[in-house]
Each structure stands twice: as structure tokens, then as C-alpha cells.
Amino acid sequence: MGRGSQGVAAVSRRAVSEAPAADAKSSNKKSARAPSAKPPFTLGDLRRAIPPHCFQRSLLRSSAYLLIDLAFAALFLYATTRFDDIHQLVDPAVEPLFPAHLQPYVRPAVSVLLWGLYTWLQGCVCTGLWVIAHECGHGAFSDYAFVNDAVGMVVHSWLLVPYFSWKYSHRRHHSNTGSMENDEVFVPKRKDQLTPVSEYLQHPFGRVLSILVTLTLGWPLYLSFNVSGHEYKGHANHFSPYSGIFCDRERFWVLVSDLGLLAVLGCLYSLGSAYGLAWVLKVYVCPLLIVNMFLVLITLLQHTHPALPHFDSSEWEWLRGALATVDRDYGYLNIVHHHIADTHVAHHIFSTMPHYHAEEATKAIKPILKDYYQFDDTPIVKALWRETSQCVCVAPDEDGPKGVFWYSNKLK
């Protein structure tokens, strides 16, 4: 593990290249694997390294980010009402550039481009809204629990997320990160838990199919059937108050979450009746698919990396588990998504810290974390392919602690 590593190399792109990355963040030197031993620092040491103002939550500032996202979402929605005007300008100018037999296809092609651009932009912005509601669930939006839950409930419900239900399960993920027995989601399979299907999914076609299913259906499958989640007795899901995920004091709020979803579905039905099903699909459903894709992609890549350990009960400790995550670089989307991906290590250590202080906090704790801080600037598509290829199951090293598990793609 980290102790036995002689020399250091950048985490980023270590699987494909030994060349040092030019990015400033990737200049941080690391061992090939993250250290898995008990860290030489404490949670208190990390807290003291962070400027005190980073822990302050401003309702005004958080609301400003919320309003900015809502304004962009409204702007993009308004833009769809001007698509006919764009067609009147663009189509006559573009059609003469094509042969006569292709000119009838110009308008549909322009329409696809316009709606495709809208879907991407609206999906990215709504992912930022999703992140703000996620912060509400952590109590990071403001100092007022009622405000946090009210904002989170409205925003997450509109994105078809059962706010309180997921808030409870996500809290358990933060309480048990990296635990083979108790983590809540993306719990890796041990080698002896793999099925024959796993071998077929390792072929390129199988891997592509697996990625497509994960990014499109992964989120609803998790909410509805607990796919990739912690094993519970009976049918676990995020909609039944009697699901094994929830305790007695949480069941009422699961019902409240369901009512929020029903209200949104009722609104969508009314909109569909007024504007048509196709309008709802283009304006709402397609951007929501982008949101769901980013949610799964970000979460998967935060906790799946060849350098990250997992622990069974003989080795797991909260801080060791919280450090078993990696920051990723999504370029301009880091800003759009409120730095949920590039400051995730700090978020797992101090989840009540608002996102607008997370970059400063990350810089403050990196000198203490040293090799315990993991950052990978591999392009996201390349990283997704690599992780789905290399991180198939987990197993302990033959000569290492039996309670520390590392990713592997060796199925036998």
C-alpha cells in the first residue's frame, strides 16, 4: 500500500502514461495507491487547517446561487419559444448550400441541433440545481433546517428525486463511505460475488452496454430497486416508507417525499395535456436524462478508481473511509456543477460546508493530507472507460492486510 510505495507519481493518467500532467492540480505527487493505513492526522487537525469562515453558511449567498441557476433554466426554456424565429433566419440561408434533394432535411436537422443544444445546456444547469438541493440535505444551504428542507424538497421533487428518502440514504453513505459491509451505494463486489455475466461485460461491446445502461437507467434503478445499493432484507427502494432503508422516525417523511413527486407528476400531466406529450419530452424529460446521467457519472467516478481502497469491519474507520474518494476535473462544468466533483474529498470530510468554500478548504487541507488526497485529471470519458475496465471487483492483496480491498479486473 502507501507505505510500500517507493517513489511517487501523479495520480492523473497513471494508468495510461507516466508523463507529468501540466495542470497545476495534477502536479501534486502521489503514490500509485492511496495510503490505506490509519492517517497520521486527525479530523481536528484538518478542521484547524481550514479558515473558520469556510464553515459559515450564508442564506443570502446560497440563495443567490439558487436564483442564478433558476434564471439560466428559465432563459433556456424561453429560448425554446424562439426556435421558430431562428428557423426563419437560418433555414433560408442554409438550404441553398445543399443539393435540392437534401434541402427538405435542413429544417429537421436544424431543429435537432437546437433541441440538442437546449437539452445539454438545460441538463447541465439543472444538475447544478440538483447539487444545491443535495447541499440542502446536508444542511449546507443555510443555518435554518426548515429553509434547507423546504428548498431541497421543492428543487429535488421537481427533478423527480424523493428528497427526504434520498437524504436519509445519502447520509448513511457519508457515515459509512468505503465500508464493504455498510456503505450505501456503489458497493464493489468481492471476487467471489461475481457472476458469469461479469466476464461477458468485460468485452468491449459488453462494457459499452454496461456504461449505457448505468448512465441512462442507473439512477431510477437505484431509487426503485436499490440496484448497486447496500443489501437490505426484502425489497428495498426509496418510495416505500416500510423499505428496509428507513427507520421508524423517517417513514412519515418518506411519504412526504412521495407526495412531492406526485405533485410534480400532476403538473407534468397538466402540461402534457396543454402542450402535448412531445413538448414535455423535449422540454423536461430529455434534460432530466442529462441530470440523471451526470448524477450517476459523478458519483461513480468519485468512488471508483484503482488507487482507492475499501475496508471490511476489521479495518474500517470513518476517516479512512471518508478519504477513500477522488476529486475529478470536469473543466467548465466544475463551476456549473458547483464544484461537486473537484472538491469531493473535502465534501466527504466536512459535508455541512457550503460549496462556495470548498475550493479554499481543499487547498488548506492538501498539505496535511499529502498522499491521502487523491486527484485525477484524466478526461472523464477516458476515465470512465478505464475504471469500468480495471475496477471490476475488489480483493485484498496476498501479502497485505486481509481487511483492505483493492480494485482488480482479474475475475479468477
Side-chain angles (χ1 to χ4, degrees), residues 97-159:
L97 302 177
F98 293 87
H101 68 282
L102 293 179
Q103 289 180 6
Y105 301 101
V106 169
R107 183 179 179 87
V110 171
S111 182
V112 168
L113 290 175
L114 290 174
W115 282 106
L117 180 62
Y118 165 79
T119 296
W120 174 255
L121 294 176
Q122 190 72 289
C124 290
V125 167
C126 287
T127 301
L129 284 168
W130 195 101
V131 171
I132 288 177
H134 153 265
E135 288 212 336
C136 290
H138 280 294
F141 186 82
S142 76
D143 292 328
Y144 310 101
F146 173 78
V147 173
N148 294 336
D149 287 338
V151 172
M153 174 76 178
V154 171
V155 176
H156 261 176
S157 294
W158 190 246
L159 297 173

Side-chain angles (χ1 to χ4, degrees), residues 9-17 19-34 297-298 300-308 323 325-331 334 341-345 362 366 370-388 390-391:
V11 166
S12 29
R13 302 192 181 104
R14 66 163 57 90
V16 294
S17 174
D23 188 274
K25 291 183 177 179
S26 62
S27 66
N28 301 309
K29 300 298 183 179
K30 306 200 172 297
S31 55
R33 281 179 172 178
L297 177 66
I298 291 170
L300 172 65
L301 292 183
Q302 284 167 343
H303 299 285
T304 307
H305 193 288
L308 298 181
L323 292 171
T325 184
V326 58
D327 284 350
R328 303 273 189 174
D329 185 9
Y330 284 72
N334 290 335
D342 61 319
T343 63
H344 195 69
V345 175
T362 297
K366 279 167 64 176
K370 296 182 180 177
D371 283 353
Y372 283 87
Y373 174 73
Q374 297 294 303
F375 177 84
D376 191 336
D377 67 348
T378 302
I380 296 303
V381 174
K382 192 174 186 177
L384 178 62
W385 185 259
R386 183 190 66 197
E387 266 54 300
T388 54
Q390 297 185 13
C391 304

